[in-house]
Amino acid sequence: GMVGWGCGTGKIMDNWYYIPPEHIEGDRAYISDPNERRHLVRVLRNKPGDVIVFVDGDGWKYEGIIARSDPEVVEITVETRSRDEAEGGVEITLAPAILKGSRMDTVIEKATELGISFVIPMRTKHTVAGQGSVSAHRLDRWQRIAQSAMKQSHRARLPRVLPVLDFEILIEKLPEYDVAFLAWEDESQANLVSTAARYSDAKRLLLLIGPEGGFDRQEIERGRQAGIHTVSLGPRRLRSDTASIVALALLVSR
Ligand code: SAM
């Protein structure tokens, strides 16, 4: 057989593509992203007749056969279509305080691998990065990171990076969620695992992670009044990016 690399067994089938639903029509699909086309044709040297796997970002996974492959047009004949069952109907929204530099990239990549559905970059009192505005370019970049992490982790659902929200505004959106957790290093009564266990039926979960400077005491009080559960992630003071990843790992293990 083929020489395996990564976590899979075969080169072609390991490399998943993303084709948004508007480029899938009946049994025809077209790779619209020029970078993806170039990758398929020039790097992987896929030819007509080769089988490829692609996802639509809405939870469908497809297998198809390449009908035409040149850098301008890659056309695929759809062979099979199946629902990605791993998603299980639970939607986790991660609201991480905006971090400096590439730390936010890391959070979005790892959070995608861990199965989140939405990211809401959050502005809090002690958020240093993005205190002014977050550029469209940066939001775009985060969405693209989610896209490649989706393919890499073999998910069929694309996490959406939503517009930046202030802590106060996010609080007003709580009714959209079944339960909300806020990771707070000074919480001594409740940890995330035991608290989440009481909400095993919840389908829409919101998770708030503070910036390097932590949440302001006022924000903690405000959040609690609004019904958010403050939870500990253990005795160590984790960096903000680590806290996002740890909290999600604990949540998905339930
Ligand atoms: N307030 C602290 C300070 O400035 O010394 C630490 C903030 S911590 C570096 C960044 C964020 O990670 C926190 O706002 C919290 O959301 C989360 N976090 C880190 N360690 C945690 C823990 N042990 N339990 C719960 N949340 C934690």
Side-chain angles (χ1 to χ4, degrees), residues 182-187 208-215 231-241 243-244:
L182 181 154
W184 188 37
E185 59 285 353
D186 290 337
E187 174 59 63
L208 287 77
I209 305 290
E212 281 309 316
F215 283 105
V231 290
S232 164
L233 301 175
R236 317 253 175 258
R237 176 179 182 271
L238 306 170
R239 292 202 72 130
S240 185
D241 48 346
S244 279

Side-chain angles (χ1 to χ4, degrees), residues 96-240:
I98 300 160
L99 304 177
K100 280 189 284 187
S102 64
R103 289 192 183 270
M104 200 66 176
D105 297 1
T106 310
V107 167
I108 289 168
E109 180 181 281
K110 305 310 171 200
T112 301
E113 292 174 45
L114 286 162
I116 53 133
S117 298
F118 300 99
V119 181
I120 300 177
M122 177 175 57
R123 228 183 263 124
T124 69
K125 255 201 174 124
H126 302 307
T127 307
V128 184
Q131 199 49 266
S133 62
V134 172
S135 66
H137 170 79
R138 222 171 157 213
L139 282 171
D140 232 53
R141 176 184 165 77
W142 293 337
Q143 186 61 67
R144 274 186 287 111
I145 288 169
Q147 191 176 305
S148 71
M150 166 189 71
K151 293 182 295 182
Q152 195 276 328
S153 59
H154 288 183
R155 288 184 66 187
R157 201 175 287 278
L158 177 63
R160 311 283 163 172
V161 179
L162 302 176
V164 175
L165 286 186
D166 288 334
F167 178 84
E168 281 297 322
I169 310 286
L170 184 56
I171 297 284
E172 287 166 19
K173 297 191 183 287
L174 285 184
E176 295 174 19
Y177 301 93
D178 297 330
V179 64
F181 307 105
L182 181 154
W184 188 37
E185 59 285 353
D186 290 337
E187 174 59 63
S188 55
Q189 306 297 314
N191 65 54
L192 176 57
V193 174
S194 57
T195 309
R198 294 195 276 123
Y199 294 90
S200 54
D201 290 342
K203 294 284 180 222
R204 286 164 307 174
L205 290 74
L206 175 65
L207 175 64
L208 287 77
I209 305 290
E212 281 309 316
F215 283 105
D216 191 84
R217 189 68 212 206
Q218 273 182 346
E219 290 171 328
I220 299 293
E221 292 314 324
R222 181 78 186 85
R224 280 175 161 175
Q225 277 163 18
I228 298 180
H229 298 272
T230 52
V231 290
S232 164
L233 301 175
R236 317 253 175 258
R237 176 179 182 271
L238 306 170
R239 292 202 72 130
S240 185

Side-chain angles (χ1 to χ4, degrees), residues 26-123:
D27 72 342
R28 295 274 122 172
Y30 299 87
I31 295 187
S32 47
D33 180 342
N35 291 322
E36 296 234 297
R37 282 201 302 264
R38 223 170 296 128
H39 188 72
L40 183 141
V41 176
R42 298 235 191 276
V43 182
L44 294 179
R45 301 193 176 282
N46 281 161
K47 294 186 178 51
D50 286 348
V51 176
I52 70 163
V53 176
F54 62 95
V55 294
D56 69 354
D58 277 344
W60 289 96
K61 174 189 168 188
Y62 297 78
E63 273 183 37
I65 295 173
I66 297 176
R68 187 176 157 193
S69 79
D70 63 63
E72 300 307 312
V73 184
V74 173
E75 187 181 334
I76 296 150
T77 309
V78 175
E79 293 286 304
T80 66
R81 178 177 115 125
S82 59
R83 200 75 190 149
D84 178 5
E85 302 296 347
E87 304 281 334
V90 174
E91 281 183 0
I92 301 178
T93 299
L94 175 68
I98 300 160
L99 304 177
K100 280 189 284 187
S102 64
R103 289 192 183 270
M104 200 66 176
D105 297 1
T106 310
V107 167
I108 289 168
E109 180 181 281
K110 305 310 171 200
T112 301
E113 292 174 45
L114 286 162
I116 53 133
S117 298
F118 300 99
V119 181
I120 300 177
M122 177 175 57
R123 228 183 263 124

